[in-house]
Amino acid sequence: QRHCWTVAIGECSRDRGRRGLLTHEVCDPAVTMLPGNLSDKRSCFENNSTEDYAAMFERYTESARRVFFFARLEACQEGSPSIETEHLLLGLIREDQALTDRFLGPEEVESIREQINSRTPPRPKISGPVDVPLTNPSKNALMFTLKEAERTADKYIGTQHLLLGLLQVEKSFAAQLLSESGLSLAEVRADLALNPLPPEGPEPEEI
């Protein structure tokens, strides 16, 4: 049985058609709960409207959207009140093994997981459809992600853009982990330019 959720840019709810909220319905297995504070007009890009954010997420591939679902899941499992850059990185690792194996390899991926777990204080898990907002560094990662897609004139925003976005958030834990694993923004950009990923777009809507 498939369970459909109405995902509001300001809130996650199973109630459809709630007034005052811009909603986007998604269904399992690609359930995507977007962080609630993306409704804030100051969230990723100052002076942008809620409609601008909706347009941005419409450009995300299904794979990229699932990264947010897994990032939220990682945050809730460790009892974090917000989605940090390391949760986005863990979401990327869970969603796109081919990409992370290409640039990191299994040993580095395991090392990243261990370092994140060792830094996480013991907290009770968070359950239920609660709002788990993005931190400012995570919002900055989304800003860089969009800029990377625009830099290469890509129509859709994929997992490779998320990786490049995380690399650019200076002093974030995710950028630190990626740097210690031997990744640099210039090298990843160059590698993707020489060997681009196959084109991907959002899956067609069911009728």
mmCIF file of all heavy atoms in Angstrom, residues 144-167:
data_model
loop_
_atom_site.group_PDB
_atom_site.id
_atom_site.type_symbol
_atom_site.label_atom_id
_atom_site.label_comp_id
_atom_site.label_asym_id
_atom_site.label_seq_id
_atom_site.Cartn_x
_atom_site.Cartn_y
_atom_site.Cartn_z
ATOM 1 N N PHE A 144 24.565 26.931 -2.387
ATOM 2 C CA PHE A 144 25.681 26.546 -3.259
ATOM 3 C C PHE A 144 25.272 25.442 -4.237
ATOM 4 O O PHE A 144 25.760 25.388 -5.359
ATOM 5 C CB PHE A 144 26.871 26.087 -2.417
ATOM 6 C CG PHE A 144 27.559 27.196 -1.671
ATOM 7 C CD1 PHE A 144 27.704 27.146 -0.293
ATOM 8 C CD2 PHE A 144 28.076 28.288 -2.356
ATOM 9 C CE1 PHE A 144 28.342 28.173 0.393
ATOM 10 C CE2 PHE A 144 28.718 29.327 -1.675
ATOM 11 C CZ PHE A 144 28.845 29.258 -0.298
ATOM 12 N N THR A 145 24.372 24.574 -3.791
ATOM 13 C CA THR A 145 23.886 23.503 -4.668
ATOM 14 C C THR A 145 23.195 24.084 -5.896
ATOM 15 O O THR A 145 23.455 23.666 -7.031
ATOM 16 C CB THR A 145 22.910 22.598 -3.886
ATOM 17 O OG1 THR A 145 23.625 21.924 -2.851
ATOM 18 C CG2 THR A 145 22.260 21.575 -4.797
ATOM 19 N N LEU A 146 22.317 25.044 -5.665
ATOM 20 C CA LEU A 146 21.622 25.695 -6.779
ATOM 21 C C LEU A 146 22.603 26.425 -7.679
ATOM 22 O O LEU A 146 22.518 26.366 -8.909
ATOM 23 C CB LEU A 146 20.572 26.665 -6.239
ATOM 24 C CG LEU A 146 19.814 27.478 -7.291
ATOM 25 C CD1 LEU A 146 19.073 26.573 -8.264
ATOM 26 C CD2 LEU A 146 18.847 28.446 -6.617
ATOM 27 N N LYS A 147 23.566 27.109 -7.073
ATOM 28 C CA LYS A 147 24.553 27.839 -7.873
ATOM 29 C C LYS A 147 25.381 26.906 -8.741
ATOM 30 O O LYS A 147 25.774 27.270 -9.861
ATOM 31 C CB LYS A 147 25.461 28.669 -6.954
ATOM 32 C CG LYS A 147 24.772 29.886 -6.354
ATOM 33 C CD LYS A 147 25.729 30.723 -5.526
ATOM 34 C CE LYS A 147 25.061 31.991 -5.021
ATOM 35 N NZ LYS A 147 25.998 32.831 -4.223
ATOM 36 N N GLU A 148 25.661 25.701 -8.230
ATOM 37 C CA GLU A 148 26.422 24.730 -9.026
ATOM 38 C C GLU A 148 25.631 24.289 -10.251
ATOM 39 O O GLU A 148 26.184 24.146 -11.344
ATOM 40 C CB GLU A 148 26.794 23.513 -8.174
ATOM 41 C CG GLU A 148 27.953 23.747 -7.244
ATOM 42 C CD GLU A 148 29.241 24.091 -7.975
ATOM 43 O OE1 GLU A 148 29.506 23.498 -9.041
ATOM 44 O OE2 GLU A 148 29.980 24.955 -7.488
ATOM 45 N N ALA A 149 24.341 24.068 -10.078
ATOM 46 C CA ALA A 149 23.502 23.688 -11.219
ATOM 47 C C ALA A 149 23.438 24.825 -12.234
ATOM 48 O O ALA A 149 23.483 24.596 -13.452
ATOM 49 C CB ALA A 149 22.100 23.313 -10.744
ATOM 50 N N GLU A 150 23.356 26.052 -11.735
ATOM 51 C CA GLU A 150 23.312 27.206 -12.637
ATOM 52 C C GLU A 150 24.653 27.412 -13.326
ATOM 53 O O GLU A 150 24.713 27.824 -14.494
ATOM 54 C CB GLU A 150 22.907 28.448 -11.856
ATOM 55 C CG GLU A 150 21.463 28.399 -11.361
ATOM 56 C CD GLU A 150 21.093 29.600 -10.519
ATOM 57 O OE1 GLU A 150 22.021 30.270 -9.998
ATOM 58 O OE2 GLU A 150 19.882 29.865 -10.373
ATOM 59 N N ARG A 151 25.728 27.119 -12.620
ATOM 60 C CA ARG A 151 27.064 27.310 -13.197
ATOM 61 C C ARG A 151 27.261 26.429 -14.418
ATOM 62 O O ARG A 151 27.907 26.845 -15.395
ATOM 63 C CB ARG A 151 28.126 26.982 -12.135
ATOM 64 C CG ARG A 151 29.565 27.218 -12.574
ATOM 65 C CD ARG A 151 30.551 26.789 -11.486
ATOM 66 N NE ARG A 151 30.490 25.353 -11.267
ATOM 67 C CZ ARG A 151 31.164 24.452 -11.996
ATOM 68 N NH1 ARG A 151 31.940 24.856 -12.994
ATOM 69 N NH2 ARG A 151 31.065 23.174 -11.721
ATOM 70 N N THR A 152 26.723 25.228 -14.377
ATOM 71 C CA THR A 152 26.883 24.292 -15.492
ATOM 72 C C THR A 152 25.650 24.256 -16.398
ATOM 73 O O THR A 152 25.553 23.405 -17.279
ATOM 74 C CB THR A 152 27.152 22.875 -14.953
ATOM 75 O OG1 THR A 152 26.168 22.531 -13.972
ATOM 76 C CG2 THR A 152 28.543 22.806 -14.308
ATOM 77 N N ALA A 153 24.719 25.182 -16.157
ATOM 78 C CA ALA A 153 23.500 25.284 -16.973
ATOM 79 C C ALA A 153 22.712 23.980 -16.993
ATOM 80 O O ALA A 153 22.127 23.607 -18.011
ATOM 81 C CB ALA A 153 23.846 25.722 -18.399
ATOM 82 N N ASP A 154 22.691 23.275 -15.851
ATOM 83 C CA ASP A 154 21.922 22.041 -15.750
ATOM 84 C C ASP A 154 20.471 22.365 -15.426
ATOM 85 O O ASP A 154 20.190 23.181 -14.540
ATOM 86 C CB ASP A 154 22.496 21.129 -14.661
ATOM 87 C CG ASP A 154 23.825 20.534 -15.057
ATOM 88 O OD1 ASP A 154 24.022 20.305 -16.267
ATOM 89 O OD2 ASP A 154 24.668 20.294 -14.170
ATOM 90 N N LYS A 155 19.569 21.722 -16.128
ATOM 91 C CA LYS A 155 18.143 21.976 -15.919
ATOM 92 C C LYS A 155 17.690 21.455 -14.568
ATOM 93 O O LYS A 155 16.865 22.085 -13.894
ATOM 94 C CB LYS A 155 17.335 21.316 -17.037
ATOM 95 C CG LYS A 155 15.837 21.564 -16.948
ATOM 96 C CD LYS A 155 15.104 20.936 -18.112
ATOM 97 C CE LYS A 155 13.602 21.187 -18.023
ATOM 98 N NZ LYS A 155 12.866 20.565 -19.150
ATOM 99 N N TYR A 156 18.224 20.284 -14.174
ATOM 100 C CA TYR A 156 17.816 19.674 -12.925
ATOM 101 C C TYR A 156 18.952 19.699 -11.907
ATOM 102 O O TYR A 156 20.130 19.739 -12.272
ATOM 103 C CB TYR A 156 17.353 18.234 -13.149
ATOM 104 C CG TYR A 156 16.133 18.137 -14.025
ATOM 105 C CD1 TYR A 156 16.184 17.527 -15.277
ATOM 106 C CD2 TYR A 156 14.919 18.669 -13.602
ATOM 107 C CE1 TYR A 156 15.055 17.449 -16.080
ATOM 108 C CE2 TYR A 156 13.799 18.600 -14.401
ATOM 109 C CZ TYR A 156 13.862 17.987 -15.635
ATOM 110 O OH TYR A 156 12.749 17.918 -16.424
ATOM 111 N N ILE A 157 18.577 19.654 -10.635
ATOM 112 C CA ILE A 157 19.539 19.647 -9.542
ATOM 113 C C ILE A 157 19.637 18.218 -9.022
ATOM 114 O O ILE A 157 18.655 17.655 -8.543
ATOM 115 C CB ILE A 157 19.104 20.594 -8.411
ATOM 116 C CG1 ILE A 157 18.991 22.027 -8.950
ATOM 117 C CG2 ILE A 157 20.084 20.534 -7.244
ATOM 118 C CD1 ILE A 157 18.384 23.004 -7.952
ATOM 119 N N GLY A 158 20.839 17.635 -9.137
ATOM 120 C CA GLY A 158 21.029 16.242 -8.764
ATOM 121 C C GLY A 158 21.918 16.069 -7.547
ATOM 122 O O GLY A 158 22.368 17.031 -6.923
ATOM 123 N N THR A 159 22.191 14.821 -7.226
ATOM 124 C CA THR A 159 23.017 14.514 -6.060
ATOM 125 C C THR A 159 24.438 15.046 -6.205
ATOM 126 O O THR A 159 25.078 15.399 -5.216
ATOM 127 C CB THR A 159 23.051 12.996 -5.823
ATOM 128 O OG1 THR A 159 23.430 12.333 -7.038
ATOM 129 C CG2 THR A 159 21.691 12.479 -5.389
ATOM 130 N N GLN A 160 24.942 15.110 -7.443
ATOM 131 C CA GLN A 160 26.286 15.649 -7.644
ATOM 132 C C GLN A 160 26.355 17.127 -7.267
ATOM 133 O O GLN A 160 27.376 17.601 -6.745
ATOM 134 C CB GLN A 160 26.752 15.438 -9.094
ATOM 135 C CG GLN A 160 26.092 16.309 -10.146
ATOM 136 C CD GLN A 160 24.785 15.734 -10.657
ATOM 137 O OE1 GLN A 160 24.118 14.985 -9.972
ATOM 138 N NE2 GLN A 160 24.428 16.084 -11.882
ATOM 139 N N HIS A 161 25.274 17.863 -7.494
ATOM 140 C CA HIS A 161 25.243 19.277 -7.107
ATOM 141 C C HIS A 161 25.205 19.416 -5.591
ATOM 142 O O HIS A 161 25.803 20.344 -5.030
ATOM 143 C CB HIS A 161 24.035 19.965 -7.737
ATOM 144 C CG HIS A 161 24.001 19.881 -9.227
ATOM 145 N ND1 HIS A 161 23.005 19.231 -9.920
ATOM 146 C CD2 HIS A 161 24.858 20.353 -10.175
ATOM 147 C CE1 HIS A 161 23.230 19.319 -11.209
ATOM 148 N NE2 HIS A 161 24.355 19.988 -11.401
ATOM 149 N N LEU A 162 24.503 18.492 -4.925
ATOM 150 C CA LEU A 162 24.482 18.509 -3.466
ATOM 151 C C LEU A 162 25.872 18.258 -2.886
ATOM 152 O O LEU A 162 26.283 18.903 -1.911
ATOM 153 C CB LEU A 162 23.501 17.459 -2.941
ATOM 154 C CG LEU A 162 22.010 17.791 -3.088
ATOM 155 C CD1 LEU A 162 21.161 16.557 -2.815
ATOM 156 C CD2 LEU A 162 21.620 18.917 -2.147
ATOM 157 N N LEU A 163 26.604 17.329 -3.490
ATOM 158 C CA LEU A 163 27.972 17.059 -3.033
ATOM 159 C C LEU A 163 28.837 18.306 -3.193
ATOM 160 O O LEU A 163 29.571 18.686 -2.268
ATOM 161 C CB LEU A 163 28.564 15.895 -3.824
ATOM 162 C CG LEU A 163 30.037 15.567 -3.553
ATOM 163 C CD1 LEU A 163 30.240 15.175 -2.094
ATOM 164 C CD2 LEU A 163 30.522 14.452 -4.475
ATOM 165 N N LEU A 164 28.736 18.952 -4.339
ATOM 166 C CA LEU A 164 29.509 20.173 -4.579
ATOM 167 C C LEU A 164 29.080 21.289 -3.625
ATOM 168 O O LEU A 164 29.913 22.073 -3.165
ATOM 169 C CB LEU A 164 29.336 20.619 -6.032
ATOM 170 C CG LEU A 164 29.986 19.723 -7.090
ATOM 171 C CD1 LEU A 164 29.469 20.078 -8.481
ATOM 172 C CD2 LEU A 164 31.509 19.835 -7.040
ATOM 173 N N GLY A 165 27.794 21.347 -3.326
ATOM 174 C CA GLY A 165 27.317 22.362 -2.393
ATOM 175 C C GLY A 165 27.865 22.148 -0.996
ATOM 176 O O GLY A 165 28.287 23.101 -0.326
ATOM 177 N N LEU A 166 27.895 20.905 -0.541
ATOM 178 C CA LEU A 166 28.428 20.608 0.796
ATOM 179 C C LEU A 166 29.903 20.935 0.895
ATOM 180 O O LEU A 166 30.382 21.377 1.951
ATOM 181 C CB LEU A 166 28.194 19.132 1.133
ATOM 182 C CG LEU A 166 26.756 18.728 1.454
ATOM 183 C CD1 LEU A 166 26.626 17.216 1.539
ATOM 184 C CD2 LEU A 166 26.292 19.378 2.761
ATOM 185 N N LEU A 167 30.632 20.743 -0.170
ATOM 186 C CA LEU A 167 32.062 21.034 -0.165
ATOM 187 C C LEU A 167 32.355 22.520 0.033
ATOM 188 O O LEU A 167 33.451 22.885 0.463
ATOM 189 C CB LEU A 167 32.698 20.572 -1.473
ATOM 190 C CG LEU A 167 33.044 19.087 -1.580
ATOM 191 C CD1 LEU A 167 33.316 18.708 -3.029
ATOM 192 C CD2 LEU A 167 34.257 18.762 -0.706
#
